[in-house]
């Protein structure tokens, strides 16, 4: 049963409010009219979320936010290309005046993805987002970018199945037992975040990476360890040389 609760206090002069809000058992598919013109995929799952809120001096703030999303699925047509049975975050906060988003912990477990590369090298699930047409205006909309910080993030026991169809003979890829852990992820310029990544490749080989990486700009210091990687599945890459 869907349930939304909110409570708190409201002051008229000066205008301010604070309180708590909680939502339970919200089916994402039911709210598709709000995003169906943006996302070109059908999303289903059940959301539970809650936290504190406040409004003061024109700024909206959320704190101590937690959320869980179960039975998440993403489809294009009848094909499920991504699923995640259990995803959660905790200790989140949003401050519109400072334009910051912080998350203490993000965890997702048991997910699976299926993506193929077409002959032109593009993922066959694209496009996922509708093309937006910028409005014509003489005024610039550029401003201070938002800063996002995640203290810890974990991706556990994920799998990926796919096929690279760019070579003459397609290459099948299988990733299992994928585990990724990251710390102190930030969108701040020049910030590097510690991480470790490991997975089983094509049922035999093991791949392990660890180090630091960042994307503003893209940079990193990474150590990797490859063991028992089967070469035969990748023969097409050498044949086309």
């Amino acid at each position: 049963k869907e349930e939304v609760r909110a409570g708190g206090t409201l002051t008229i002069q000066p205008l301010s409010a604070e309180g708590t809000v909680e939502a339970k058992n919200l089916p994402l598919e039911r709210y598709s009219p709000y995003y169906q013109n943006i996302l070109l995929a059908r999303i289903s799952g059940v959301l539970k979320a809650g936290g504190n809120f406040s409004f003061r001096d024109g700024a909206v703030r959320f704190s101590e936010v937690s959320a869980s999303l179960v039975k998440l699925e993403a489809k294009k047509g009848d094909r499920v290309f991504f699923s995640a049975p259990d995803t959660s975050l905790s200790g989140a906060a949003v401050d519109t005046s400072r334009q910051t988003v912080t998350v203490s912990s993000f965890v997702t477990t048991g997910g699976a993805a299926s993506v193929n590369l077409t002959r032109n090298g593009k993922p066959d699930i694209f496009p996922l987002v509708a093309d937006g047409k910028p409005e014509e205006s003489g005024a610039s909309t550029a401003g201070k970018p938002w800063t996002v910080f995640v203290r810890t993030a974990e991706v556990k026991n994920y799998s990926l199945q796919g096929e690279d169809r760019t070579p003459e003979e397609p290459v099948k890829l299988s990733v299992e037992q994928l585990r990724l852990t990251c710390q102190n992820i930030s969108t701040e310029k020049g910030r590097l975040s510690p991480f470790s990544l490991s997975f089983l490749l094509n049922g035999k080989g093991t791949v392990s990476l660890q180090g630091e990486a960042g994307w503003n700009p893209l940079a990193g210091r990474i150590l990797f360890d490859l063991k028992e990687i089967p070469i035969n599945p990748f023969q097409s890459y050498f044949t086309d040389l």
Side-chain angles (χ1 to χ4, degrees):
K1 180 181 178 180
E2 293 178 61
E3 185 177 354
V4 178
R5 293 182 179 181
T9 60
L10 173 66
T11 302
I12 302 300
Q13 186 64 35
L15 182 61
S16 64
E18 62 180 19
T20 62
V21 62
E22 182 180 23
K24 296 181 178 179
N25 302 321
L26 299 186
L28 297 185
E29 199 163 17
R30 182 172 298 177
Y31 299 92
S32 62
Y34 292 108
Y35 59 78
Q36 64 183 3
N37 293 329
I38 301 173
L39 293 179
L40 302 180
R42 291 168 51 202
I43 309 297
S44 62
V46 180
L47 174 67
K48 175 183 177 182
N52 302 328
F53 71 88
S54 67
F55 174 80
R56 187 174 290 109
D57 298 327
V60 179
R61 298 177 179 86
F62 294 93
S63 62
E64 298 182 25
V65 176
S66 63
S68 65
L69 182 57
V70 297
K71 300 179 181 179
L72 173 63
E73 283 190 350
K75 291 183 178 180
K76 294 209 76 172
D78 294 329
R79 173 190 169 196
V80 177
F81 65 86
F82 178 77
S83 64
D86 188 9
T87 300
S88 64
L89 64 83
S90 62
V94 179
D95 189 329
T96 61
S97 64
R98 296 182 178 180
Q99 295 183 254
T100 59
V101 178
T102 60
V103 178
S104 292
S105 175
F106 173 85
V107 181
T108 180
T109 304
S114 174
V115 181
N116 302 308
L117 290 182
T118 61
R119 291 287 293 176
N120 60 11
K122 295 182 179 180
D124 61 355
I125 62 173
F126 283 5
L128 291 176
V129 180
D131 290 333
K133 296 182 180 180
E135 297 182 1
E136 294 184 4
S137 173
S140 173
T141 58
K144 176 186 175 183
W146 280 67
T147 299
V148 179
F149 178 80
V150 181
R151 191 171 303 281
T152 62
E154 292 184 89
V155 178
K156 302 179 181 179
N157 197 29
Y158 262 55
S159 64
L160 170 65
Q161 303 292 328
E163 191 173 74
D164 184 356
R165 297 168 182 165
T166 54
E168 190 66 29
E169 183 69 26
V171 175
K172 292 185 177 180
L173 299 171
S174 170
V175 170
E176 298 172 301
Q177 301 175 24
L178 184 147
R179 183 181 181 93
L180 171 66
T181 60
C182 305
Q183 296 179 328
N184 301 327
I185 306 168
S186 176
T187 59
E188 289 182 332
K189 189 173 182 179
R191 185 74 172 262
L192 295 180
S193 306
F195 81 96
S196 65
L197 171 67
S198 63
F199 56 87
L200 186 67
L201 179 62
N202 285 352
K204 291 184 178 180
T206 59
V207 178
S208 299
L209 299 92
Q210 62 178 2
E212 295 180 317
W215 54 76
N216 186 19
L218 187 64
R221 295 188 289 266
I222 302 172
L223 299 175
F224 61 90
D225 184 19
L226 310 178
K227 295 180 180 179
E228 300 182 8
I229 304 296
I231 299 299
N232 288 343
F234 306 103
Q235 188 64 42
S236 293
Y237 294 132
F238 307 109
T239 303
D240 290 349
L241 293 178

